[in-house]
């Protein structure tokens, strides 16, 4: 079932949060039916490639800068809430808020990385937990780095995790 606006923090220019991975799948299913297209969440590899600036990467610690305050809403500067999107610096691809504001669900099942080099890898074929990436308004700067990965159960929802 789709809820009209599940977010804890309401506003037309605020990110969608307080949605589970399952909620995201239901939303995408409805979106695909309405548009006759094939939307999906990004894989973890796609998310990280975008966060790091793709082929235009400047190899920064956070998505678009080495100074977290320039690119992210996190525990020190957020006032314990989300903020309107696009008010911090974008990364090299012009994408905003990948290091902070709200963590983002990815399509993949969470698991260990394989030890071999892979091109555009996907997660394991079996498992329960789903990947989420990016920092958020309630986490410290360490969790805002583009390299940090996390996971949650697919039915977990809270005001620090959502979708783009």
């Amino acid at each position: 079932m789709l809820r009209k606006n599940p977010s804890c923090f309401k506003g037309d220019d605020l990110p969608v949060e307080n949605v589970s991975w399952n909620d995201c799948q239901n939303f995408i299913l409805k979106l695909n039916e309405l548009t006759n297209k094939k939307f999906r969440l990004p894989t973890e590899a796609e998310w990280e490639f975008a966060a790091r600036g793709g082929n235009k990467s400047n190899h920064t610690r956070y998505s678009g800068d080495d100074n977290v305050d320039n690119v992210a809403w996190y525990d020190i500067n957020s006032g314990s809430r989300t903020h309107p999107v696009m008010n911090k610096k974008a990364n090299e691809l012009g994408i905003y808020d990948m290091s902070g504001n709200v963590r983002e669900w990815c399509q993949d099942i969470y698991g260990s990385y394989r030890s071999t080099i892979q091109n555009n890898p996907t997660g394991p074929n079996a498992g329960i937990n789903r990947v989420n990436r990016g920092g958020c308004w309630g986490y410290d700067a360490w969790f805002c780095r583009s390299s940090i990965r996390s996971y949650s159960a697919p039915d977990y929802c809270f005001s620090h995790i959502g979708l783009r």
Side-chain angles (χ1 to χ4, degrees), residues 80-142:
S80 299
R81 61 170 291 112
T82 61
H83 288 264
V85 297
M86 299 174 51
N87 281 333
K88 294 286 185 177
K89 179 181 171 186
N91 74 2
E92 298 88 338
L93 297 177
I95 305 172
Y96 295 84
D97 298 318
M98 292 195 80
S99 286
N101 219 3
V102 174
R103 295 185 60 74
E104 300 177 40
W105 287 109
C106 294
Q107 189 64 32
D108 299 11
I109 294 170
Y110 182 83
S112 299
Y113 285 136
R114 293 186 190 137
S115 59
T116 58
I117 295 174
Q118 300 175 53
N119 186 17
N120 198 21
T122 58
N125 293 326
I128 296 171
N129 294 315
R130 295 295 176 156
V131 174
N132 51 71
R133 298 290 300 260
C136 74
W137 60 265
Y139 287 14
D140 67 32
W142 189 83

Side-chain angles (χ1 to χ4, degrees), residues 10-119:
K10 309 279 191 215
D12 291 342
D13 55 355
L14 295 177
V16 174
E17 34 81 5
N18 199 37
V19 290
S20 69
W21 185 89
N22 292 335
D23 291 335
C24 294
Q25 297 306 307
N26 289 333
F27 172 78
I28 291 168
L29 181 67
K30 278 288 194 200
L31 182 63
N32 288 342
E33 289 172 2
L34 290 170
T35 64
N36 203 26
K37 295 187 179 185
K38 293 185 179 182
F39 293 100
R40 63 172 172 77
L41 293 172
T43 65
E44 181 176 14
E46 290 167 341
W47 187 96
E48 187 167 340
F49 182 77
R52 291 183 181 274
N55 293 328
K56 299 178 180 183
S57 178
N58 290 326
H59 307 287
T60 55
R61 177 178 297 205
Y62 307 102
S63 183
D65 204 305
D66 281 325
N67 182 339
V68 69
D69 289 307
N70 292 338
V71 294
W73 296 109
Y74 66 111
D75 68 345
I76 298 298
N77 67 3
S78 71
S80 299
R81 61 170 291 112
T82 61
H83 288 264
V85 297
M86 299 174 51
N87 281 333
K88 294 286 185 177
K89 179 181 171 186
N91 74 2
E92 298 88 338
L93 297 177
I95 305 172
Y96 295 84
D97 298 318
M98 292 195 80
S99 286
N101 219 3
V102 174
R103 295 185 60 74
E104 300 177 40
W105 287 109
C106 294
Q107 189 64 32
D108 299 11
I109 294 170
Y110 182 83
S112 299
Y113 285 136
R114 293 186 190 137
S115 59
T116 58
I117 295 174
Q118 300 175 53
N119 186 17

